[in-house]
Amino acid sequence: NAGVTQTPKFRVLKTGQSMTLLCAQDMNHEYMYWYRQDPGMGLRLIHYSVGEGTTAKGEVPDGYNVSRLKKQNFLLGLESAAPSQTSVYFCATRRNTGELFFGEGSRLTVL
Amino acid sequence: ILNVEQSPQSLHVQEGDSTNFTCSFPSSNFYALHWYRWETAKSPEALFVMTLNGDEKKKGRISATLNTKEGYSYLYIKGSQPEDSATYLCAFLGDTDKLIFGTGTRLQVFP
């Protein structure tokens, strides 16, 4: 089935550990986005990409890195996790008609 | 910093009531305004993408209007049903490819 797949769906980390979230899409969309969702804060843009090999900062980029080596994959990395990065992370692609198509989310807890 | 604001923060209505919410956004460098519906434990789903001042979009009982000159959009739900209960998000797309979300309006419809 076509769509946006995020892995892992759940992860618990200790402070200082590193991890990578993978977003994979099979819709050949150019634009991809990483958001975090926190209570009362809505969706906040972390980083985004307008095509293979490109990345750009969003509203809350600090503490995160991203890479888009292949068009279908957008990776979000946490080099040294902090409790403030406990959140639900959503990846999305942007269709040619403009609207975003979201993955199911990845719940990350940093102890 | 782009400011996208939604009001009210939450809304409780009876089945059959009509309701509306507001999204305000920057009136400069406008490219598009999105509306999404977000049910609990699911991912946001696109309702409308609006690009022209004066745009009106409709999908079933839900409709939206757009005023880019004054920087606001309204979402209307006619004859609310319990299945309309969700958080409704708007998002502003300017000329930077960043899609910035408001914090949402949480709607609960009671039978």
PDB file of all heavy atoms in Angstrom, chain A residues 75-109:
ATOM      1  N   LEU A  75      15.599  10.896   7.133  1.00  0.00           N
ATOM      2  CA  LEU A  75      16.029  10.425   8.438  1.00  0.00           C
ATOM      3  C   LEU A  75      16.125  11.585   9.419  1.00  0.00           C
ATOM      4  O   LEU A  75      16.659  12.658   9.087  1.00  0.00           O
ATOM      5  CB  LEU A  75      17.390   9.740   8.338  1.00  0.00           C
ATOM      6  CG  LEU A  75      17.423   8.279   7.864  1.00  0.00           C
ATOM      7  CD1 LEU A  75      16.977   8.151   6.418  1.00  0.00           C
ATOM      8  CD2 LEU A  75      18.803   7.685   8.032  1.00  0.00           C
ATOM      9  N   LEU A  76      15.648  11.353  10.629  1.00  0.00           N
ATOM     10  CA  LEU A  76      15.752  12.335  11.708  1.00  0.00           C
ATOM     11  C   LEU A  76      16.618  11.746  12.806  1.00  0.00           C
ATOM     12  O   LEU A  76      16.294  10.682  13.333  1.00  0.00           O
ATOM     13  CB  LEU A  76      14.370  12.677  12.262  1.00  0.00           C
ATOM     14  CG  LEU A  76      14.338  13.657  13.423  1.00  0.00           C
ATOM     15  CD1 LEU A  76      14.699  15.069  12.960  1.00  0.00           C
ATOM     16  CD2 LEU A  76      12.947  13.675  14.081  1.00  0.00           C
ATOM     17  N   GLY A  77      17.716  12.418  13.137  1.00  0.00           N
ATOM     18  CA  GLY A  77      18.647  11.910  14.130  1.00  0.00           C
ATOM     19  C   GLY A  77      18.680  12.745  15.392  1.00  0.00           C
ATOM     20  O   GLY A  77      18.548  13.974  15.340  1.00  0.00           O
ATOM     21  N   LEU A  78      18.805  12.054  16.509  1.00  0.00           N
ATOM     22  CA  LEU A  78      19.050  12.705  17.793  1.00  0.00           C
ATOM     23  C   LEU A  78      20.427  12.227  18.237  1.00  0.00           C
ATOM     24  O   LEU A  78      20.625  11.040  18.482  1.00  0.00           O
ATOM     25  CB  LEU A  78      18.015  12.305  18.836  1.00  0.00           C
ATOM     26  CG  LEU A  78      16.608  12.859  18.743  1.00  0.00           C
ATOM     27  CD1 LEU A  78      15.834  12.275  17.577  1.00  0.00           C
ATOM     28  CD2 LEU A  78      15.869  12.633  20.051  1.00  0.00           C
ATOM     29  N   GLU A  79      21.385  13.123  18.298  1.00  0.00           N
ATOM     30  CA  GLU A  79      22.759  12.729  18.634  1.00  0.00           C
ATOM     31  C   GLU A  79      22.937  12.457  20.117  1.00  0.00           C
ATOM     32  O   GLU A  79      23.646  11.545  20.510  1.00  0.00           O
ATOM     33  CB  GLU A  79      23.730  13.820  18.186  1.00  0.00           C
ATOM     34  CG  GLU A  79      23.892  13.884  16.670  1.00  0.00           C
ATOM     35  CD  GLU A  79      24.975  14.869  16.266  1.00  0.00           C
ATOM     36  OE1 GLU A  79      25.432  15.647  17.123  1.00  0.00           O
ATOM     37  OE2 GLU A  79      25.345  14.861  15.070  1.00  0.00           O
ATOM     38  N   SER A  80      22.272  13.262  20.945  1.00  0.00           N
ATOM     39  CA  SER A  80      22.388  13.114  22.395  1.00  0.00           C
ATOM     40  C   SER A  80      21.030  13.463  22.991  1.00  0.00           C
ATOM     41  O   SER A  80      20.749  14.640  23.263  1.00  0.00           O
ATOM     42  CB  SER A  80      23.479  14.026  22.937  1.00  0.00           C
ATOM     43  OG  SER A  80      23.587  13.900  24.338  1.00  0.00           O
ATOM     44  N   ALA A  81      20.192  12.447  23.156  1.00  0.00           N
ATOM     45  CA  ALA A  81      18.799  12.691  23.521  1.00  0.00           C
ATOM     46  C   ALA A  81      18.677  13.363  24.884  1.00  0.00           C
ATOM     47  O   ALA A  81      19.441  13.069  25.829  1.00  0.00           O
ATOM     48  CB  ALA A  81      18.030  11.374  23.515  1.00  0.00           C
ATOM     49  N   ALA A  82      17.682  14.246  24.977  1.00  0.00           N
ATOM     50  CA  ALA A  82      17.371  14.948  26.224  1.00  0.00           C
ATOM     51  C   ALA A  82      15.906  14.731  26.562  1.00  0.00           C
ATOM     52  O   ALA A  82      15.086  14.521  25.648  1.00  0.00           O
ATOM     53  CB  ALA A  82      17.662  16.442  26.065  1.00  0.00           C
ATOM     54  N   PRO A  83      15.542  14.796  27.840  1.00  0.00           N
ATOM     55  CA  PRO A  83      14.129  14.612  28.215  1.00  0.00           C
ATOM     56  C   PRO A  83      13.184  15.567  27.484  1.00  0.00           C
ATOM     57  O   PRO A  83      12.030  15.218  27.228  1.00  0.00           O
ATOM     58  CB  PRO A  83      14.139  14.869  29.724  1.00  0.00           C
ATOM     59  CG  PRO A  83      15.516  14.451  30.153  1.00  0.00           C
ATOM     60  CD  PRO A  83      16.420  14.875  29.030  1.00  0.00           C
ATOM     61  N   SER A  84      13.679  16.752  27.115  1.00  0.00           N
ATOM     62  CA  SER A  84      12.833  17.717  26.393  1.00  0.00           C
ATOM     63  C   SER A  84      12.472  17.232  24.980  1.00  0.00           C
ATOM     64  O   SER A  84      11.595  17.815  24.337  1.00  0.00           O
ATOM     65  CB  SER A  84      13.546  19.070  26.278  1.00  0.00           C
ATOM     66  OG  SER A  84      14.769  18.917  25.570  1.00  0.00           O
ATOM     67  N   GLN A  85      13.123  16.176  24.534  1.00  0.00           N
ATOM     68  CA  GLN A  85      12.823  15.627  23.212  1.00  0.00           C
ATOM     69  C   GLN A  85      11.801  14.486  23.274  1.00  0.00           C
ATOM     70  O   GLN A  85      11.491  13.881  22.247  1.00  0.00           O
ATOM     71  CB  GLN A  85      14.111  15.158  22.526  1.00  0.00           C
ATOM     72  CG  GLN A  85      15.038  16.318  22.200  1.00  0.00           C
ATOM     73  CD  GLN A  85      16.355  15.894  21.582  1.00  0.00           C
ATOM     74  OE1 GLN A  85      17.092  15.086  22.160  1.00  0.00           O
ATOM     75  NE2 GLN A  85      16.663  16.445  20.411  1.00  0.00           N
ATOM     76  N   THR A  86      11.290  14.231  24.469  1.00  0.00           N
ATOM     77  CA  THR A  86      10.166  13.310  24.602  1.00  0.00           C
ATOM     78  C   THR A  86       8.982  13.912  23.867  1.00  0.00           C
ATOM     79  O   THR A  86       8.559  15.035  24.169  1.00  0.00           O
ATOM     80  CB  THR A  86       9.810  13.096  26.080  1.00  0.00           C
ATOM     81  OG1 THR A  86      10.888  12.408  26.715  1.00  0.00           O
ATOM     82  CG2 THR A  86       8.528  12.291  26.222  1.00  0.00           C
ATOM     83  N   SER A  87       8.459  13.168  22.895  1.00  0.00           N
ATOM     84  CA  SER A  87       7.431  13.735  22.040  1.00  0.00           C
ATOM     85  C   SER A  87       6.898  12.651  21.106  1.00  0.00           C
ATOM     86  O   SER A  87       7.391  11.518  21.098  1.00  0.00           O
ATOM     87  CB  SER A  87       8.027  14.886  21.210  1.00  0.00           C
ATOM     88  OG  SER A  87       7.018  15.587  20.503  1.00  0.00           O
ATOM     89  N   VAL A  88       5.904  13.008  20.339  1.00  0.00           N
ATOM     90  CA  VAL A  88       5.470  12.173  19.226  1.00  0.00           C
ATOM     91  C   VAL A  88       5.936  12.850  17.945  1.00  0.00           C
ATOM     92  O   VAL A  88       5.666  14.046  17.740  1.00  0.00           O
ATOM     93  CB  VAL A  88       3.939  11.982  19.192  1.00  0.00           C
ATOM     94  CG1 VAL A  88       3.548  11.078  18.026  1.00  0.00           C
ATOM     95  CG2 VAL A  88       3.446  11.394  20.505  1.00  0.00           C
ATOM     96  N   TYR A  89       6.632  12.106  17.121  1.00  0.00           N
ATOM     97  CA  TYR A  89       7.220  12.658  15.906  1.00  0.00           C
ATOM     98  C   TYR A  89       6.427  12.172  14.689  1.00  0.00           C
ATOM     99  O   TYR A  89       6.136  10.981  14.547  1.00  0.00           O
ATOM    100  CB  TYR A  89       8.685  12.229  15.793  1.00  0.00           C
ATOM    101  CG  TYR A  89       9.546  12.853  16.851  1.00  0.00           C
ATOM    102  CD1 TYR A  89       9.660  12.276  18.124  1.00  0.00           C
ATOM    103  CD2 TYR A  89      10.208  14.044  16.610  1.00  0.00           C
ATOM    104  CE1 TYR A  89      10.420  12.860  19.107  1.00  0.00           C
ATOM    105  CE2 TYR A  89      10.985  14.647  17.593  1.00  0.00           C
ATOM    106  CZ  TYR A  89      11.087  14.046  18.840  1.00  0.00           C
ATOM    107  OH  TYR A  89      11.846  14.645  19.815  1.00  0.00           O
ATOM    108  N   PHE A  90       6.092  13.131  13.839  1.00  0.00           N
ATOM    109  CA  PHE A  90       5.355  12.811  12.615  1.00  0.00           C
ATOM    110  C   PHE A  90       6.172  13.219  11.402  1.00  0.00           C
ATOM    111  O   PHE A  90       6.704  14.327  11.324  1.00  0.00           O
ATOM    112  CB  PHE A  90       4.019  13.567  12.568  1.00  0.00           C
ATOM    113  CG  PHE A  90       2.968  12.993  13.464  1.00  0.00           C
ATOM    114  CD1 PHE A  90       2.797  13.473  14.740  1.00  0.00           C
ATOM    115  CD2 PHE A  90       2.152  11.971  13.010  1.00  0.00           C
ATOM    116  CE1 PHE A  90       1.830  12.942  15.573  1.00  0.00           C
ATOM    117  CE2 PHE A  90       1.174  11.423  13.826  1.00  0.00           C
ATOM    118  CZ  PHE A  90       1.015  11.919  15.119  1.00  0.00           C
ATOM    119  N   CYS A  91       6.225  12.303  10.460  1.00  0.00           N
ATOM    120  CA  CYS A  91       6.798  12.597   9.159  1.00  0.00           C
ATOM    121  C   CYS A  91       5.657  12.819   8.177  1.00  0.00           C
ATOM    122  O   CYS A  91       4.570  12.230   8.318  1.00  0.00           O
ATOM    123  CB  CYS A  91       7.659  11.419   8.699  1.00  0.00           C
ATOM    124  SG  CYS A  91       8.316  11.594   7.028  1.00  0.00           S
ATOM    125  N   ALA A  92       5.885  13.677   7.203  1.00  0.00           N
ATOM    126  CA  ALA A  92       4.858  13.922   6.189  1.00  0.00           C
ATOM    127  C   ALA A  92       5.516  14.190   4.850  1.00  0.00           C
ATOM    128  O   ALA A  92       6.632  14.719   4.780  1.00  0.00           O
ATOM    129  CB  ALA A  92       3.986  15.109   6.589  1.00  0.00           C
ATOM    130  N   THR A  93       4.808  13.824   3.791  1.00  0.00           N
ATOM    131  CA  THR A  93       5.222  14.209   2.444  1.00  0.00           C
ATOM    132  C   THR A  93       4.191  15.176   1.895  1.00  0.00           C
ATOM    133  O   THR A  93       3.057  15.232   2.371  1.00  0.00           O
ATOM    134  CB  THR A  93       5.314  12.999   1.501  1.00  0.00           C
ATOM    135  OG1 THR A  93       3.987  12.477   1.290  1.00  0.00           O
ATOM    136  CG2 THR A  93       6.184  11.909   2.076  1.00  0.00           C
ATOM    137  N   ARG A  94       4.598  15.937   0.901  1.00  0.00           N
ATOM    138  CA  ARG A  94       3.680  16.925   0.335  1.00  0.00           C
ATOM    139  C   ARG A  94       3.329  16.519  -1.083  1.00  0.00           C
ATOM    140  O   ARG A  94       4.205  16.366  -1.932  1.00  0.00           O
ATOM    141  CB  ARG A  94       4.307  18.316   0.347  1.00  0.00           C
ATOM    142  CG  ARG A  94       3.309  19.435   0.106  1.00  0.00           C
ATOM    143  CD  ARG A  94       3.945  20.763   0.454  1.00  0.00           C
ATOM    144  NE  ARG A  94       3.944  21.664  -0.661  1.00  0.00           N
ATOM    145  CZ  ARG A  94       4.749  22.715  -0.777  1.00  0.00           C
ATOM    146  NH1 ARG A  94       5.654  22.961   0.151  1.00  0.00           N
ATOM    147  NH2 ARG A  94       4.670  23.497  -1.814  1.00  0.00           N
ATOM    148  N   ARG A  95       2.031  16.364  -1.306  1.00  0.00           N
ATOM    149  CA  ARG A  95       1.550  15.989  -2.622  1.00  0.00           C
ATOM    150  C   ARG A  95       1.669  17.148  -3.602  1.00  0.00           C
ATOM    151  O   ARG A  95       1.782  18.288  -3.201  1.00  0.00           O
ATOM    152  CB  ARG A  95       0.083  15.566  -2.530  1.00  0.00           C
ATOM    153  CG  ARG A  95      -0.118  14.271  -1.777  1.00  0.00           C
ATOM    154  CD  ARG A  95      -1.577  13.969  -1.610  1.00  0.00           C
ATOM    155  NE  ARG A  95      -1.782  12.530  -1.432  1.00  0.00           N
ATOM    156  CZ  ARG A  95      -2.828  12.007  -0.848  1.00  0.00           C
ATOM    157  NH1 ARG A  95      -3.789  12.787  -0.383  1.00  0.00           N
ATOM    158  NH2 ARG A  95      -2.956  10.703  -0.732  1.00  0.00           N
ATOM    159  N   ASN A  96       1.578  16.842  -4.889  1.00  0.00           N
ATOM    160  CA  ASN A  96       1.629  17.889  -5.911  1.00  0.00           C
ATOM    161  C   ASN A  96       0.482  18.881  -5.758  1.00  0.00           C
ATOM    162  O   ASN A  96       0.603  20.047  -6.122  1.00  0.00           O
ATOM    163  CB  ASN A  96       1.570  17.273  -7.312  1.00  0.00           C
ATOM    164  CG  ASN A  96       2.833  16.496  -7.627  1.00  0.00           C
ATOM    165  OD1 ASN A  96       3.873  16.728  -7.022  1.00  0.00           O
ATOM    166  ND2 ASN A  96       2.746  15.579  -8.565  1.00  0.00           N
ATOM    167  N   THR A  97      -0.636  18.405  -5.210  1.00  0.00           N
ATOM    168  CA  THR A  97      -1.796  19.284  -4.987  1.00  0.00           C
ATOM    169  C   THR A  97      -1.627  20.133  -3.731  1.00  0.00           C
ATOM    170  O   THR A  97      -2.474  20.961  -3.427  1.00  0.00           O
ATOM    171  CB  THR A  97      -3.077  18.449  -4.876  1.00  0.00           C
ATOM    172  OG1 THR A  97      -2.811  17.323  -4.031  1.00  0.00           O
ATOM    173  CG2 THR A  97      -3.527  17.971  -6.236  1.00  0.00           C
ATOM    174  N   GLY A  98      -0.549  19.903  -2.985  1.00  0.00           N
ATOM    175  CA  GLY A  98      -0.209  20.785  -1.874  1.00  0.00           C
ATOM    176  C   GLY A  98      -0.368  20.183  -0.495  1.00  0.00           C
ATOM    177  O   GLY A  98       0.390  20.518   0.409  1.00  0.00           O
ATOM    178  N   GLU A  99      -1.354  19.324  -0.297  1.00  0.00           N
ATOM    179  CA  GLU A  99      -1.623  18.867   1.065  1.00  0.00           C
ATOM    180  C   GLU A  99      -0.585  17.853   1.527  1.00  0.00           C
ATOM    181  O   GLU A  99       0.040  17.155   0.730  1.00  0.00           O
ATOM    182  CB  GLU A  99      -3.028  18.264   1.178  1.00  0.00           C
ATOM    183  CG  GLU A  99      -3.242  16.971   0.443  1.00  0.00           C
ATOM    184  CD  GLU A  99      -3.813  17.165  -0.925  1.00  0.00           C
ATOM    185  OE1 GLU A  99      -3.501  18.196  -1.565  1.00  0.00           O
ATOM    186  OE2 GLU A  99      -4.564  16.286  -1.384  1.00  0.00           O
ATOM    187  N   LEU A 100      -0.420  17.805   2.852  1.00  0.00           N
ATOM    188  CA  LEU A 100       0.509  16.864   3.457  1.00  0.00           C
ATOM    189  C   LEU A 100      -0.161  15.520   3.665  1.00  0.00           C
ATOM    190  O   LEU A 100      -1.358  15.434   3.944  1.00  0.00           O
ATOM    191  CB  LEU A 100       0.998  17.386   4.804  1.00  0.00           C
ATOM    192  CG  LEU A 100       1.833  18.647   4.801  1.00  0.00           C
ATOM    193  CD1 LEU A 100       2.410  18.883   6.195  1.00  0.00           C
ATOM    194  CD2 LEU A 100       2.939  18.599   3.777  1.00  0.00           C
ATOM    195  N   PHE A 101       0.669  14.477   3.532  1.00  0.00           N
ATOM    196  CA  PHE A 101       0.218  13.114   3.789  1.00  0.00           C
ATOM    197  C   PHE A 101       1.114  12.595   4.908  1.00  0.00           C
ATOM    198  O   PHE A 101       2.322  12.484   4.738  1.00  0.00           O
ATOM    199  CB  PHE A 101       0.365  12.290   2.516  1.00  0.00           C
ATOM    200  CG  PHE A 101      -0.277  10.951   2.581  1.00  0.00           C
ATOM    201  CD1 PHE A 101      -1.635  10.820   2.387  1.00  0.00           C
ATOM    202  CD2 PHE A 101       0.477   9.829   2.827  1.00  0.00           C
ATOM    203  CE1 PHE A 101      -2.243   9.580   2.450  1.00  0.00           C
ATOM    204  CE2 PHE A 101      -0.120   8.576   2.888  1.00  0.00           C
ATOM    205  CZ  PHE A 101      -1.482   8.454   2.702  1.00  0.00           C
ATOM    206  N   PHE A 102       0.526  12.254   6.067  1.00  0.00           N
ATOM    207  CA  PHE A 102       1.294  11.955   7.270  1.00  0.00           C
ATOM    208  C   PHE A 102       1.521  10.472   7.485  1.00  0.00           C
ATOM    209  O   PHE A 102       0.684   9.631   7.121  1.00  0.00           O
ATOM    210  CB  PHE A 102       0.558  12.497   8.507  1.00  0.00           C
ATOM    211  CG  PHE A 102       0.648  13.979   8.664  1.00  0.00           C
ATOM    212  CD1 PHE A 102      -0.263  14.812   8.033  1.00  0.00           C
ATOM    213  CD2 PHE A 102       1.637  14.557   9.449  1.00  0.00           C
ATOM    214  CE1 PHE A 102      -0.191  16.187   8.169  1.00  0.00           C
ATOM    215  CE2 PHE A 102       1.711  15.926   9.606  1.00  0.00           C
ATOM    216  CZ  PHE A 102       0.800  16.744   8.961  1.00  0.00           C
ATOM    217  N   GLY A 103       2.649  10.165   8.143  1.00  0.00           N
ATOM    218  CA  GLY A 103       2.863   8.845   8.682  1.00  0.00           C
ATOM    219  C   GLY A 103       2.076   8.684   9.976  1.00  0.00           C
ATOM    220  O   GLY A 103       1.383   9.604  10.430  1.00  0.00           O
ATOM    221  N   GLU A 104       2.212   7.503  10.601  1.00  0.00           N
ATOM    222  CA  GLU A 104       1.411   7.193  11.777  1.00  0.00           C
ATOM    223  C   GLU A 104       2.002   7.724  13.072  1.00  0.00           C
ATOM    224  O   GLU A 104       1.378   7.622  14.127  1.00  0.00           O
ATOM    225  CB  GLU A 104       1.220   5.674  11.887  1.00  0.00           C
ATOM    226  CG  GLU A 104       0.387   5.092  10.752  1.00  0.00           C
ATOM    227  CD  GLU A 104       0.192   3.604  10.901  1.00  0.00           C
ATOM    228  OE1 GLU A 104       0.985   2.949  11.603  1.00  0.00           O
ATOM    229  OE2 GLU A 104      -0.767   3.079  10.300  1.00  0.00           O
ATOM    230  N   GLY A 105       3.190   8.265  13.006  1.00  0.00           N
ATOM    231  CA  GLY A 105       3.797   8.829  14.196  1.00  0.00           C
ATOM    232  C   GLY A 105       4.739   7.861  14.896  1.00  0.00           C
ATOM    233  O   GLY A 105       4.582   6.642  14.803  1.00  0.00           O
ATOM    234  N   SER A 106       5.719   8.435  15.580  1.00  0.00           N
ATOM    235  CA  SER A 106       6.676   7.661  16.376  1.00  0.00           C
ATOM    236  C   SER A 106       6.736   8.281  17.757  1.00  0.00           C
ATOM    237  O   SER A 106       7.054   9.473  17.884  1.00  0.00           O
ATOM    238  CB  SER A 106       8.069   7.696  15.742  1.00  0.00           C
ATOM    239  OG  SER A 106       8.077   7.106  14.467  1.00  0.00           O
ATOM    240  N   ARG A 107       6.434   7.481  18.773  1.00  0.00           N
ATOM    241  CA  ARG A 107       6.427   7.997  20.137  1.00  0.00           C
ATOM    242  C   ARG A 107       7.784   7.736  20.760  1.00  0.00           C
ATOM    243  O   ARG A 107       8.209   6.590  20.883  1.00  0.00           O
ATOM    244  CB  ARG A 107       5.320   7.343  20.955  1.00  0.00           C
ATOM    245  CG  ARG A 107       5.198   7.900  22.364  1.00  0.00           C
ATOM    246  CD  ARG A 107       4.013   7.281  23.102  1.00  0.00           C
ATOM    247  NE  ARG A 107       2.755   7.688  22.517  1.00  0.00           N
ATOM    248  CZ  ARG A 107       2.115   8.802  22.830  1.00  0.00           C
ATOM    249  NH1 ARG A 107       2.621   9.649  23.709  1.00  0.00           N
ATOM    250  NH2 ARG A 107       0.952   9.078  22.257  1.00  0.00           N
ATOM    251  N   LEU A 108       8.449   8.802  21.154  1.00  0.00           N
ATOM    252  CA  LEU A 108       9.783   8.711  21.749  1.00  0.00           C
ATOM    253  C   LEU A 108       9.738   9.219  23.179  1.00  0.00           C
ATOM    254  O   LEU A 108       9.221  10.313  23.445  1.00  0.00           O
ATOM    255  CB  LEU A 108      10.779   9.546  20.943  1.00  0.00           C
ATOM    256  CG  LEU A 108      12.204   9.636  21.500  1.00  0.00           C
ATOM    257  CD1 LEU A 108      12.883   8.282  21.482  1.00  0.00           C
ATOM    258  CD2 LEU A 108      13.024  10.656  20.711  1.00  0.00           C
ATOM    259  N   THR A 109      10.280   8.420  24.096  1.00  0.00           N
ATOM    260  CA  THR A 109      10.398   8.820  25.504  1.00  0.00           C
ATOM    261  C   THR A 109      11.870   8.831  25.874  1.00  0.00           C
ATOM    262  O   THR A 109      12.578   7.858  25.626  1.00  0.00           O
ATOM    263  CB  THR A 109       9.641   7.847  26.417  1.00  0.00           C
ATOM    264  OG1 THR A 109       8.270   7.819  26.033  1.00  0.00           O
ATOM    265  CG2 THR A 109       9.746   8.288  27.871  1.00  0.00           C
TER     266      THR A 109
END
